[in-house]
Amino acid sequence: AQSVTQPDIHITVSEGASLELRCNYSYGATPYLFWYVQSPGQGLQLLLKYFSGDTLVQGIKGFEAEFKRSQSSFNLRKPSVHWSDAAEYFCAVGAGGGGFKTIFGAGTRLFVKA
Amino acid sequence: DTAVSQTPKYLVTQMGNDKSIKCEQNLGHDTMYWYKQDSKKFLKIMFSYNNKELIINETVPNRFSPKSPDKAHLNLHINSLELGDSAVYFCASSSQGISGANVLTFGAGSRLTVL
């Protein structure tokens, strides 16, 4: 069965500092992997996705993520965080082969301090 | 023009009442979903319809009944509301690309509070 683990419930970084949010997944085949961001009171917005090919994927707002099959990880990174990046971040794994179920991690809340 | 729109955005009601949440998407997607987000922000899939056919029905009380009159609409009706139903309910839609993956587009959510 699919599952996603985000080990950090919340993270605080200083504005301008680098960021890495951790995500580990469990899936029997090659997974479809996603990062979504949720600002307070808003719906979820897709940051980036990985289906195949280059294991380093670029997304919106300067985010990137790296797929590491050997570690079953898909960590999200940003070189320099802005105050507007404060939000809840969700890693998700989608079923392949025409499956429709996307499973989300518990989320990591990012706080940005000035 | 909003891609996935849900109404109402806020809903406050008493225990035992029946309420509905409506969702519409204008993206031309084939598949629509309801997710429930609890107070700890955990997102859990409830239902999914593909071309008006129910394809995912998670372990949800039968007080919850989804209805999809057409591909662009998915409604959620909840009978005999309980305190534990208080949550934010998100509608989403997707279309499988060549890769076979479903990329979800979410609505803004409907916050249900049961008193």
Side-chain angles (χ1 to χ4, degrees):
Chain A
Q2 302 155 251
S3 69
V4 180
T5 302
Q6 293 181 246
D8 304 306
I9 297 173
H10 56 80
I11 280 183
T12 301
V13 300
S14 298
E15 192 169 16
S18 63
L19 170 71
E20 182 168 27
L21 301 182
R22 297 183 292 164
C23 173
N24 292 98
Y25 68 90
S26 174
Y27 187 66
T30 300
Y32 297 141
L33 295 163
F34 308 87
W35 275 99
Y36 287 83
V37 61
Q38 183 181 23
S39 297
Q42 303 294 317
L44 281 77
Q45 179 185 22
L46 180 70
L47 278 178
L48 47 77
K49 59 187 184 288
Y50 171 78
F51 296 159
S52 64
D54 193 347
T55 56
L56 184 63
V57 293
Q58 303 296 321
I60 62 171
K61 306 184 183 188
F63 285 92
E64 66 179 26
E66 186 171 13
F67 170 59
K68 292 185 178 180
R69 184 187 301 275
S70 62
Q71 298 176 20
S72 297
S73 69
F74 189 57
N75 294 348
L76 181 71
R77 299 194 295 251
K78 186 169 184 177
S80 177
V81 167
H82 187 261
W83 64 266
S84 61
D85 293 324
E88 192 88 26
Y89 291 80
F90 293 93
C91 182
V93 59
F100 293 92
K101 191 178 289 189
T102 301
I103 302 299
F104 286 81
T108 298
R109 181 70 187 269
L110 174 64
F111 297 93
V112 180
K113 59 181 181 181
Chain B
D1 202 15
T2 305
V4 180
S5 58
Q6 301 178 223
T7 54
K9 190 169 173 63
Y10 300 98
L11 192 51
V12 181
T13 189
Q14 300 286 334
M15 268 197 312
N17 284 349
D18 304 336
K19 290 295 177 187
S20 292
I21 306 172
K22 296 186 176 184
C23 180
E24 176 182 3
Q25 56 96 2
N26 62 6
L27 298 166
H29 288 168
D30 296 328
T31 311
M32 296 185 72
Y33 310 77
W34 280 112
Y35 277 84
K36 178 180 180 181
Q37 186 174 50
D38 63 24
S39 58
K40 295 185 178 179
K41 301 290 187 182
F42 186 67
L43 270 164
K44 183 170 164 49
I45 189 167
M46 300 173 69
F47 301 104
S48 178
Y49 274 77
N50 177 255
N51 287 316
K52 300 194 298 175
E53 180 185 345
L54 183 65
I55 56 171
I56 295 175
N57 186 352
E58 292 294 285
T59 310
V60 178
N62 57 15
R63 298 182 294 103
F64 290 78
S65 52
K67 279 191 174 51
S68 182
D70 56 58
K71 283 194 332 180
H73 295 84
L74 179 61
N75 303 323
L76 183 65
H77 187 76
I78 315 170
N79 290 323
S80 303
L81 279 156
E82 299 177 358
L83 293 177
D85 298 331
S86 295
V88 181
Y89 293 85
F90 283 101
C91 178
S93 69
S94 73
S95 182
Q96 281 194 336
I98 297 172
S99 65
N102 284 284
V103 181
L104 300 173
T105 301
F106 283 87
S110 297
R111 180 177 293 276
L112 171 65
T113 302
V114 182
L115 303 175

